[in-house]
Amino acid sequence: MKKTILFISLFISTLTFSAIAQKQGTITVKTKYTGIIDGYDHMNKTDIYIDGMLAGSTSSQLQSKPNSCTVSVSRGQHDVRIINMAYYEGTWEEHTIENEYSLDALYEGTINLKKKLTIDLLFDIDKEETIAKVK
């Protein structure tokens, strides 16, 4: 009888520990463009990669409209890569200087997710820079 109670206690403890270890948090990514030149308001979307895996994407819409996406991620430390994609001549391509855009519309970093995190990205075409606020 004692062995059965001990076994059940260990089993419940293991399940409880697993549930705690796998708690989820959320990362919200908000994007906005400024300095868009007339005639260059591209369709775009933003892809969110967590630890090298695609975790989510915003809807596709014109750059002139702010966009956002929230993804559910396990709590803890993660490598994050957020890249804006432009729809050009029937294909999605990274909005980077390498692809002949005026700025690298991306964010890369390591975050420690506790519960909720917001990453605000401002892609400033006039200043040719991406401004990131992580809060």
Side-chain angles (χ1 to χ4, degrees):
M1 178 74 168
K2 287 183 180 180
K3 288 182 181 179
T4 305
I5 292 174
L6 180 62
F7 176 75
I8 291 172
S9 296
L10 286 173
F11 182 73
I12 291 172
S13 296
T14 303
L15 288 177
T16 303
F17 178 75
S18 294
I20 291 170
Q22 295 178 1
K23 279 191 175 179
Q24 297 289 301
T26 58
I27 299 173
T28 299
V29 175
K30 298 178 181 179
T31 61
K32 181 179 180 181
Y33 270 88
T34 61
I36 299 166
I37 299 167
D38 287 339
Y40 291 93
D41 194 3
H42 301 289
M43 286 298 290
N44 79 109
K45 66 177 183 169
T46 301
D47 291 339
I48 299 110
Y49 291 87
I50 306 296
D51 300 323
M53 302 291 292
L54 182 63
S57 298
T58 64
S59 60
S60 59
Q61 60 186 28
L62 293 173
Q63 286 174 315
S64 57
K65 297 183 181 186
N67 211 343
S68 67
C69 177
T70 299
V71 295
S72 183
V73 180
S74 63
R75 294 182 186 186
Q77 187 168 319
H78 297 282
D79 292 322
V80 176
R81 182 173 195 266
I82 303 167
I83 182 74
N84 187 262
M85 306 292 288
Y87 192 72
Y88 181 70
E89 295 185 352
T91 332
W92 288 105
E93 62 183 13
E94 293 184 352
H95 192 290
T96 60
I97 293 170
E98 184 178 309
N99 286 334
E100 300 181 16
Y101 291 94
S102 58
L103 67 105
D104 288 333
L106 64 89
Y107 168 82
E108 293 178 309
T110 300
I111 56 105
N112 186 23
L113 180 61
K114 293 182 180 178
K115 204 175 205 179
K116 290 197 270 186
L117 184 76
T118 300
I119 302 173
D120 287 309
L121 298 175
L122 175 64
F123 305 124
D124 190 331
I125 294 173
D126 288 335
K127 293 181 182 177
E128 297 182 350
E129 68 179 341
T130 297
I131 301 164
K133 291 183 182 174
V134 180
K135 46 187 171 170

